[in-house]
Amino acid sequence: MKFNVQFANKSPYKKLTLKFVVHYYHYAGVESVGVCYGVNGNNLPSRQEVVDLYKSNGINQMRIYYPDEQALQALRGSNIELILDVAKDTLSSLTNANEATNWVTKYVTPYAQDVKIKYITVGNEIHPSDNEAQSILPALNNIQNAISSANLQDQIKVSIAIDMTLIGKSYPPSDGVFSDQAKSYIQPIIDFLVSNGAPLLANVYPYFAYIGDKQSIPLDYALFKQQGNNDVGYQNLFDAQLDSVYAALEKVGGSNVKIIVSESGWPSAGEDSATTDNAKTYLSNLINHVKSGNGTPKRPGTIETYLFAMFDENQKNGAATEQHFGLFNPDKSSKYQISFN
C-alpha cells in the first residue's frame, strides 16, 4: 500500500490523503468486518490454512488482489464473501472484449456457484497519470458485459478501488471534491457505476493522514478516541475522510453510489505512531464503529469495511510500516485480541 498526503485549505485537521482495507455492509444480517488477504511474504500459511483461519475467527469477507486460483479453490463452499481484484498488469489486456470474456470464463464462472464473489475490482489505486488509467473504463465495460453474458450481473458488481489522492479538497468534508486532474478520469467511471447500480470502493487510512500532519491532526481524532465533535461536526477522522468522498460523488452525479471501504488499517511497527497499542485501538474502534449502525454524519448506517491486512508481509516494498499492517503473524497467532463479529 502506498500513501499520498494532501492538505486541505484552512483546516484545523488540514487534510489527509492516502491509500487504504476492511469489510462490513448495509445488508441486514452481516455480522463481521472483512479482511484483505495479501501474499507479499515468503513465510505465510497455505491458502487452505488461511481460509480456515478466516472461518475460525468468524471473518466472513475477504479481498484478494489478483485471481489466485489456489485461494479460489480453498474458498469453495466456505461461505466467505469475496472482493476479487484484476491484477494491475492485466488491465490493459481487458480493453479487448474477448480477453475480458476469457478472464471471466477462467476466474469467475468456474467458481461462481460455490465461491461468493461479490465485487470485481478493475483497478486498485490507479491514478489519472498512470499508464493504466486509459484502460480502466473499457475494461470495466468489457468485464461487465462478460459478467452479464454469464448471467452473474445480479450476484457480482464490477467497480474500481480509489485512494484519497483523487480528492482535491477534503476539509470540511462537505466541500469534498475530486481534483481537477481526476475529474475527467473519474466522471465516466462514476457514470458507469450509476448505470450498473455498483458501489465505489475506497481505501481509507486515517493513519497516513495523521503522520502527514501530526501538528494539526490530534492522535485521538485518528484513533476514534476524541470526546465530542470538532468545529465541523466530526468526532473522528475516518468519518471525515469517508464523507469527503461522498461529497465529491454528489458533485459528479453519484449521489446514490454507496462507498465500500475496501482497505483501512494501522501499522504496529516502523515509526513512532505505529505501535501495537495504537493499532489495536484503531482496529477495535473501527470495527465497533462500522458495525454500530451510526454511520457517518452524512450517511447513517453500517459501513461495509475491509481491514488491511490479514498478515504482516515481509516482502512489501516502501516505508518500513508497510510490512507491519497484519492482524495476524505468519505463524497464524493473533497480534491483537479483537473480535471481528
Side-chain angles (χ1 to χ4, degrees):
M1 123 187 44
K2 64 182 177 232
F3 72 89
N4 225 319
V5 178
Q6 293 177 290
F7 301 115
N9 299 329
K10 302 176 182 177
S11 149
Y13 311 114
K14 284 181 179 173
K15 165 186 172 185
L16 54 160
T17 290
L18 54 105
K19 109 153 233 193
F20 335 109
V21 173
V22 192
H23 171 197
Y24 186 91
Y25 196 27
H26 217 94
Y27 295 1
V30 176
E31 296 176 349
S32 78
V33 297
V35 180
C36 300
Y37 172 33
V39 295
N40 290 316
N42 61 9
N43 57 354
L44 300 179
S46 71
R47 274 40 170 192
Q48 187 61 59
E49 289 179 286
V50 172
V51 170
D52 291 343
L53 189 61
Y54 271 69
K55 290 165 67 176
S56 65
N57 282 276
I59 305 169
N60 299 321
Q61 295 84 24
M62 177 188 289
R63 179 183 181 184
I64 59 176
Y65 291 90
Y66 67 98
D68 180 341
E69 292 192 87
Q70 291 182 15
L72 289 168
Q73 288 287 358
L75 284 164
R76 287 188 186 275
S78 67
N79 218 32
I80 292 172
E81 294 181 338
L82 183 68
I83 298 178
L84 173 62
D85 281 30
V86 172
K88 186 176 182 179
D89 60 7
T90 306
L91 289 169
S92 61
S93 70
L94 300 184
T95 61
N96 179 294
N98 289 333
E99 290 297 323
T101 297
N102 292 341
W103 191 93
V104 169
T105 300
K106 183 174 183 180
Y107 299 123
V108 179
T109 310
Y111 301 98
Q113 296 307 309
D114 51 4
V115 177
K116 299 180 75 171
I117 302 170
K118 190 173 184 181
Y119 309 116
I120 294 174
T121 307
V122 184
N124 179 51
E125 296 184 345
I126 302 299
H127 303 131
S129 58
D130 293 345
N131 291 333
E132 294 84 4
Q134 62 185 349
S135 301
I136 298 300
L137 186 63
L140 279 168
N141 280 303
N142 287 338
I143 292 291
Q144 180 65 53
N145 289 338
I147 290 293
S148 297
S149 295
N151 201 30
L152 294 171
Q153 70 276 8
D154 294 331
Q155 174 183 335
I156 300 170
K157 294 300 181 181
V158 181
S159 187
I160 66 165
I162 66 167
D163 63 20
M164 294 293 292
T165 63
L166 298 193
I167 304 300
K169 182 183 181 185
S170 66
Y171 194 92
S174 59
D175 286 353
V177 63
F178 288 107
S179 69
D180 290 342
Q181 183 189 24
K183 278 179 185 173
S184 61
Y185 164 67
I186 201 70
Q187 181 69 71
I189 293 173
I190 300 306
D191 293 343
F192 168 89
L193 299 179
V194 170
S195 60
N196 288 286
L200 175 69
L201 279 61
N203 300 335
V204 180
Y205 287 92
Y207 166 75
F208 288 127
Y210 168 71
I211 64 167
D213 192 15
K214 290 184 178 181
Q215 291 186 332
S216 298
I217 300 175
L219 180 60
D220 281 357
Y221 184 61
L223 293 175
F224 296 91
K225 291 173 64 178
Q226 176 175 294
Q227 300 300 309
N229 294 338
N230 63 12
D231 59 350
V232 292
Y234 283 80
Q235 193 169 4
N236 67 78
L237 185 51
F238 176 86
D239 282 355
Q241 287 183 286
L242 190 52
D243 275 356
S244 73
V245 183
Y246 271 121
L249 281 172
E250 291 171 356
K251 295 177 178 69
V252 292
S255 298
N256 294 323
V257 174
K258 291 181 181 177
I259 297 171
I260 309 302
V261 178
S262 45
E263 291 182 19
S264 193
W266 196 287
S268 61
E271 67 88 31
D272 289 349
S273 315
T275 66
T276 300
D277 283 347
N278 282 347
K280 180 180 179 180
T281 297
Y282 177 78
L283 292 164
S284 298
N285 288 340
L286 175 63
I287 291 168
N288 290 335
H289 177 63
V290 300
K291 291 172 59 179
S292 68
N294 293 331
T296 70
K298 183 178 273 293
R299 296 291 177 97
T302 51
I303 304 167
E304 184 172 4
T305 299
Y306 292 74
L307 306 173
F308 191 89
M310 194 65 174
F311 299 104
D312 284 346
E313 297 173 72
N314 66 2
Q315 294 180 316
K316 288 208 74 173
N317 298 320
T321 52
E322 289 293 313
Q323 298 188 2
H324 300 284
F325 274 85
L327 284 77
F328 291 85
N329 298 303
D331 66 1
K332 300 189 289 185
S333 62
S334 177
K335 261 204 246 178
Y336 321 107
Q337 296 304 311
I338 58 177
S339 173
F340 298 95
N341 52 34

